[in-house]
Amino acid sequence: MAKRLLVAYGLWALGGPLGLHHIYLGRDSHALLWMLTLGGFGGGWLWDFWHLPSWVAAANGAGAPRDRGGTVPALSPLRLAGQVTVGMYFGLAAALGLPWVPALLAQPLAVGLGVQLVSSVGDQTAEAPSTLAAAFLASLLFQGRVLAVLPASLAASITAQQHRRYKPRGVPRPRLAARLYHLGLACLAFAAPLAGRGLCGAAGVLGTLLALARAATELLLLPLRAGRLLVEVLGFAGGSPARDHGTGFKPNSWSERQRRAYKVLGLPAGSSAEDVHRSYRELVKLWHPDHHRQRAEEAEQRFIQLQEAYEELGGGQEGGRGVTGGGGRKHEVSLSLPLGSFTRVERGPGAAENPLHRGAWGLP
């Protein structure tokens, strides 16, 4: 199908930096170069405006030499400059996008491919093995450092110019779908490492910003937390000193009271209600004042402590009711007091039996 100049100019205007007009004219190497460099870094796309008529004529089979024989294309300083520039560009892209690949492998390979791509633009090409070999040798001399992209690109460009030749004519062109497929794979191979590295960098920047935000928040809350810590150290947290005076516990110490209650009952903190009930029953039998008449005061205090600990852990449901023994003496406890501050209200014979000790909890 004959190519139209108006269509070529339209594609140049709409997607020139992506090489759409070169795809239309069958110049796939030129199109790939424009895709990877965004139109030759912008300047090459503008330069195409004056060359479109000759390229459309060449695509239609006019204006091209019919028999080149064994001639060699003329040396082009512009093509040589493009080879050096694109070779360095590809080498730096490999250094950025493939940091986990050894530099002696990734950089010279990328440099050689960039130089070879420029060598294949238009109706010319070069020997790819010679170009790649020159890039690898130059990079090896500089031990694969990043600065080696310049001498490697120079060496590969000079070698490509020495082995330049015309492309063979009459080679059948693949279908458009196959051409687009190959161009897409080449663009993906070039852009995927750079995109991956960019995402990693963006994630790192985002993590740094979040860390800075957390640090700023902690800094703003530092005076508040310092004041709270000072209040806790001075003993004013959880209530006023006047309200907590005489309780026997530090302010805001409900958990401490429960730990002491478990300790009185001889249980580890967090024991089940069944364990609390069982230990209370055993210890209240052991320390009942009627069983320790020689140490009545000590037994009475232990007995009261056991009752208070049991009440603190939620064992008793009828706080303030008396606890009596089998001997008829009544030991009534004020259960509204905290553990450690106890009051004996009444002690004497003939008192009624306490249901908390016998009926309510099933003690003998």
Side-chain angles (χ1 to χ4, degrees):
M1 179 185 294
K3 306 299 181 182
R4 296 182 179 275
L5 182 60
L6 183 60
V7 175
Y9 272 115
L11 293 175
W12 173 87
L14 294 176
L18 298 179
L20 296 184
H21 55 293
H22 290 297
I23 296 176
Y24 173 69
L25 297 176
R27 302 166 59 89
D28 292 347
S29 298
H30 211 156
L32 178 60
L33 179 62
W34 259 217
M35 290 177 185
L36 301 183
T37 62
L38 292 180
F41 310 107
W45 167 62
L46 297 175
W47 186 260
D48 287 350
F49 182 84
W50 287 272
H51 292 274
L52 277 177
S54 61
W55 290 338
V56 171
N60 291 327
R66 299 187 178 276
D67 186 11
R68 299 187 181 99
T71 60
V72 176
L75 179 62
S76 173
L78 182 61
R79 186 183 293 266
L80 178 61
Q83 289 171 332
V84 175
T85 303
V86 175
M88 293 177 57
Y89 169 64
F90 274 43
L92 293 176
L96 292 175
L98 302 171
W100 56 86
V101 179
L104 286 175
L105 176 62
Q107 293 182 20
L109 179 61
V111 169
L113 291 177
V115 172
Q116 183 64 27
L117 178 60
V118 178
S119 302
S120 301
V121 168
D123 57 354
Q124 298 184 23
T125 186
E127 296 181 3
S130 301
T131 303
L132 292 175
F136 273 98
L137 288 176
S139 180
L140 184 61
L141 292 176
F142 288 86
Q143 300 179 357
R145 298 177 182 176
V146 177
L147 295 179
V149 295
L150 176 56
S153 183
L154 281 172
S157 300
I158 294 173
T159 304
Q161 286 292 335
Q162 291 176 348
H163 295 85
R164 66 187 183 277
R165 55 184 173 82
Y166 285 109
K167 292 180 181 177
R169 297 179 61 84
V171 178
R173 183 179 302 172
R175 293 181 177 272
L176 179 61
R179 293 166 54 203
L180 294 178
Y181 174 73
H182 294 153
L183 289 174
L185 287 181
C187 291
L188 182 63
F190 181 86
L194 293 176
R197 186 60 182 264
L199 290 177
C200 292
V205 171
L206 181 60
T208 302
L209 293 178
L210 292 177
L212 289 176
R214 287 194 296 267
T217 303
E218 294 292 335
L219 185 62
L220 292 176
L221 294 178
L222 183 60
L224 180 62
R225 294 185 177 182
R228 181 179 177 182
L229 180 61
L230 181 61
V231 168
E232 291 180 355
V233 170
L234 294 178
F236 295 102
S240 64
R243 184 183 62 187
D244 296 323
H245 178 70
T247 61
F249 295 101
K250 295 181 180 180
N252 196 24
S253 59
W254 284 108
S255 59
E256 180 65 22
R257 293 176 62 172
Q258 291 181 354
R259 285 195 295 269
R260 292 188 184 183
Y262 281 117
K263 184 176 181 180
V264 169
L265 293 176
L267 296 172
S271 299
S272 63
E274 181 180 355
D275 293 338
V276 171
H277 182 57
R278 181 173 61 253
S279 178
Y280 170 74
R281 291 183 57 183
E282 295 174 354
L283 292 175
V284 85
K285 291 179 185 179
L286 178 64
W287 287 102
H288 198 284
D290 291 342
H291 301 160
H292 298 274
R293 296 186 182 277
Q294 292 80 6
R295 298 186 298 170
E297 289 292 331
E298 179 184 358
E300 181 177 348
Q301 292 296 327
R302 295 297 296 271
F303 187 79
I304 293 174
Q305 289 179 4
L306 291 171
Q307 179 64 30
E308 286 288 336
Y310 188 64
E311 291 289 335
E312 178 64 33
L313 296 177
Q317 301 295 329
E318 301 179 11
R321 308 183 77 168
V323 180
T324 65
R329 289 185 301 169
K330 179 178 180 181
H331 304 273
E332 188 168 297
V333 182
S334 176
L335 300 182
S336 63
L337 296 177
L339 182 62
S341 178
F342 309 103
T343 303
R344 183 177 56 181
V345 178
E346 182 180 349
R347 184 179 182 183
E353 193 175 47
N354 188 358
L356 177 63
H357 182 62
R358 295 180 59 84
W361 297 105
L363 296 179

Coordinates of all heavy atoms in Angstrom, one line a residue, residues 127-164:
E127 N 27.7 -4.7 12.4 CA 27.8 -6.1 12.9 C 27.7 -6.0 14.4 O 28.5 -5.5 15.2 CB 29.2 -6.6 12.5 CG 29.3 -6.8 11.0 CD 30.7 -7.4 10.6 OE1 31.4 -7.7 11.6 OE2 31.0 -7.5 9.5
A128 N 26.6 -6.6 14.9 CA 26.3 -6.6 16.4 C 27.4 -7.3 17.2 O 27.7 -6.8 18.3 CB 24.9 -7.2 16.6
P129 N 27.9 -8.5 16.8 CA 28.9 -9.1 17.7 C 30.2 -8.2 17.9 O 30.7 -8.1 19.0 CB 29.3 -10.4 16.9 CG 28.1 -10.7 16.1 CD 27.5 -9.3 15.7
S130 N 30.6 -7.5 16.8 CA 31.8 -6.7 17.0 C 31.5 -5.5 17.9 O 32.3 -5.1 18.7 CB 32.2 -6.2 15.6 OG 32.5 -7.2 14.7
T131 N 30.3 -4.9 17.8 CA 29.9 -3.8 18.6 C 29.9 -4.2 20.1 O 30.4 -3.5 20.9 CB 28.5 -3.2 18.1 OG1 28.6 -2.9 16.8 CG2 28.2 -2.0 19.0
L132 N 29.2 -5.3 20.4 CA 29.1 -5.8 21.8 C 30.5 -6.1 22.3 O 30.8 -5.9 23.5 CB 28.2 -7.0 21.8 CG 26.7 -6.7 21.5 CD1 25.9 -8.0 21.5 CD2 26.1 -5.7 22.6
A133 N 31.3 -6.8 21.5 CA 32.7 -7.1 22.0 C 33.5 -5.9 22.4 O 34.2 -5.9 23.4 CB 33.4 -7.9 20.9
A134 N 33.4 -4.8 21.6 CA 34.1 -3.6 21.9 C 33.6 -3.0 23.2 O 34.4 -2.5 24.0 CB 34.0 -2.6 20.7
A135 N 32.3 -3.0 23.4 CA 31.8 -2.5 24.7 C 32.2 -3.3 25.9 O 32.6 -2.7 26.9 CB 30.2 -2.4 24.6
F136 N 32.2 -4.6 25.8 CA 32.7 -5.4 26.9 C 34.1 -5.2 27.2 O 34.5 -5.2 28.4 CB 32.3 -6.9 26.6 CG 31.0 -7.3 27.0 CD1 29.9 -7.4 26.1 CD2 30.7 -7.6 28.3 CE1 28.7 -7.7 26.4 CE2 29.4 -8.0 28.7 CZ 28.4 -8.1 27.8
L137 N 35.0 -5.1 26.2 CA 36.4 -5.0 26.4 C 36.7 -3.6 27.1 O 37.5 -3.5 28.0 CB 37.2 -5.1 25.1 CG 37.2 -6.5 24.5 CD1 37.9 -6.5 23.1 CD2 38.0 -7.4 25.4
A138 N 36.1 -2.6 26.6 CA 36.3 -1.3 27.2 C 35.8 -1.2 28.7 O 36.4 -0.6 29.5 CB 35.6 -0.2 26.4
S139 N 34.6 -1.9 28.9 CA 34.1 -1.9 30.3 C 35.0 -2.7 31.2 O 35.2 -2.4 32.4 CB 32.7 -2.4 30.3 OG 32.2 -2.5 31.6
L140 N 35.6 -3.8 30.7 CA 36.5 -4.6 31.5 C 37.8 -3.8 31.9 O 38.3 -4.0 33.0 CB 36.9 -5.9 30.7 CG 37.7 -6.9 31.4 CD1 37.0 -7.4 32.6 CD2 38.1 -8.0 30.5
L141 N 38.2 -3.0 31.0 CA 39.4 -2.2 31.3 C 39.2 -1.2 32.5 O 40.1 -0.9 33.3 CB 39.9 -1.4 30.1 CG 40.5 -2.2 28.9 CD1 40.8 -1.3 27.8 CD2 41.7 -3.0 29.4
F142 N 37.9 -0.7 32.6 CA 37.6 0.2 33.7 C 36.8 -0.5 34.8 O 36.2 0.1 35.6 CB 36.7 1.3 33.1 CG 37.4 2.3 32.3 CD1 37.6 2.0 30.9 CD2 38.0 3.4 32.8 CE1 38.3 2.9 30.1 CE2 38.7 4.3 32.0 CZ 38.8 4.1 30.6
Q143 N 36.9 -1.9 34.8 CA 36.4 -2.7 35.9 C 34.9 -2.5 36.2 O 34.4 -2.6 37.3 CB 37.2 -2.4 37.2 CG 38.6 -2.8 37.1 CD 39.4 -2.5 38.3 OE1 38.9 -2.0 39.3 NE2 40.7 -2.8 38.3
G144 N 34.1 -2.2 35.1 CA 32.7 -2.1 35.2 C 32.2 -0.9 36.0 O 31.0 -0.9 36.5
R145 N 33.0 0.1 36.3 CA 32.5 1.3 37.0 C 31.5 2.1 36.2 O 31.4 1.9 34.9 CB 33.7 2.2 37.3 CG 34.7 1.5 38.3 CD 35.9 2.4 38.5 NE 36.9 1.8 39.4 CZ 38.0 2.3 39.7 NH1 38.4 3.5 39.3 NH2 38.9 1.6 40.5
V146 N 30.7 2.9 36.9 CA 29.7 3.7 36.2 C 30.3 4.6 35.1 O 29.7 4.8 34.0 CB 28.9 4.5 37.2 CG1 27.8 5.4 36.5 CG2 28.2 3.6 38.2
L147 N 31.5 5.2 35.4 CA 32.1 6.1 34.5 C 32.6 5.3 33.2 O 33.0 6.0 32.2 CB 33.3 6.8 35.1 CG 33.0 7.8 36.3 CD1 34.2 8.3 36.8 CD2 32.0 8.9 35.7
A148 N 32.6 4.0 33.3 CA 33.0 3.2 32.1 C 32.0 3.3 30.9 O 32.4 2.9 29.8 CB 33.2 1.8 32.5
V149 N 30.8 3.8 31.2 CA 29.9 3.9 30.1 C 30.4 4.8 28.9 O 30.1 4.6 27.8 CB 28.5 4.4 30.6 CG1 27.9 3.4 31.6 CG2 28.6 5.8 31.2
L150 N 31.1 5.9 29.3 CA 31.6 6.7 28.2 C 32.7 6.1 27.4 O 32.5 6.0 26.1 CB 32.2 8.0 28.8 CG 32.8 9.0 27.9 CD1 31.9 9.4 26.8 CD2 33.4 10.2 28.6
P151 N 33.7 5.5 27.9 CA 34.7 4.8 27.0 C 34.1 3.6 26.3 O 34.4 3.3 25.2 CB 35.9 4.4 27.9 CG 35.3 4.5 29.3 CD 34.2 5.5 29.3
A152 N 33.2 2.9 27.0 CA 32.6 1.7 26.4 C 31.7 2.2 25.2 O 31.7 1.5 24.1 CB 31.7 1.0 27.4
S153 N 31.0 3.3 25.4 CA 30.2 3.8 24.3 C 31.0 4.3 23.1 O 30.7 4.1 22.0 CB 29.2 4.9 24.8 OG 28.4 5.3 23.8
L154 N 32.1 4.9 23.4 CA 33.0 5.4 22.4 C 33.6 4.2 21.6 O 33.6 4.2 20.3 CB 34.1 6.3 23.0 CG 33.8 7.7 23.3 CD1 34.9 8.3 24.1 CD2 33.4 8.5 22.1
A155 N 34.1 3.2 22.3 CA 34.7 2.1 21.7 C 33.6 1.4 20.8 O 33.9 1.0 19.6 CB 35.2 1.1 22.7
A156 N 32.4 1.2 21.3 CA 31.4 0.5 20.6 C 30.9 1.3 19.4 O 30.7 0.7 18.3 CB 30.2 0.2 21.5
S157 N 30.9 2.6 19.5 CA 30.5 3.5 18.4 C 31.5 3.4 17.2 O 31.2 3.3 16.0 CB 30.2 4.9 18.8 OG 29.2 4.9 19.8
I158 N 32.8 3.5 17.6 CA 33.8 3.5 16.6 C 33.8 2.2 15.9 O 34.0 2.1 14.6 CB 35.2 3.8 17.2 CG1 35.2 5.2 17.8 CG2 36.3 3.6 16.3 CD1 36.4 5.6 18.6
T159 N 33.7 1.1 16.6 CA 33.6 -0.2 16.0 C 32.4 -0.4 15.1 O 32.5 -1.0 14.0 CB 33.6 -1.3 17.1 OG1 34.7 -1.2 18.0 CG2 33.6 -2.7 16.5
A160 N 31.3 0.1 15.5 CA 30.1 0.1 14.7 C 30.3 0.9 13.4 O 29.8 0.4 12.3 CB 28.9 0.6 15.4
Q161 N 31.0 2.0 13.4 CA 31.2 2.8 12.2 C 32.2 2.0 11.3 O 32.1 2.1 10.1 CB 31.8 4.1 12.6 CG 30.8 5.1 13.2 CD 29.7 5.5 12.2 OE1 30.0 5.5 10.9 NE2 28.6 5.9 12.6
Q162 N 33.1 1.3 11.9 CA 34.1 0.6 11.1 C 33.4 -0.6 10.4 O 33.9 -1.0 9.3 CB 35.2 0.1 11.9 CG 36.2 1.2 12.4 CD 37.2 0.7 13.3 OE1 37.2 -0.5 13.8 NE2 38.2 1.5 13.6
H163 N 32.4 -1.1 10.9 CA 31.7 -2.3 10.3 C 30.3 -1.9 9.8 O 29.4 -2.8 9.8 CB 31.6 -3.4 11.4 CG 32.9 -4.0 11.8 ND1 33.6 -3.4 12.8 CD2 33.6 -5.1 11.4 CE1 34.7 -4.1 13.0 NE2 34.7 -5.1 12.1
R164 N 30.1 -0.7 9.4 CA 28.8 -0.3 8.9 C 28.6 -0.8 7.5 O 29.5 -1.0 6.8 CB 28.7 1.2 8.9 CG 29.6 1.9 8.0 CD 29.6 3.5 8.1 NE 30.4 4.1 7.2 CZ 31.7 4.3 7.3 NH1 32.4 3.9 8.4 NH2 32.4 5.0 6.3

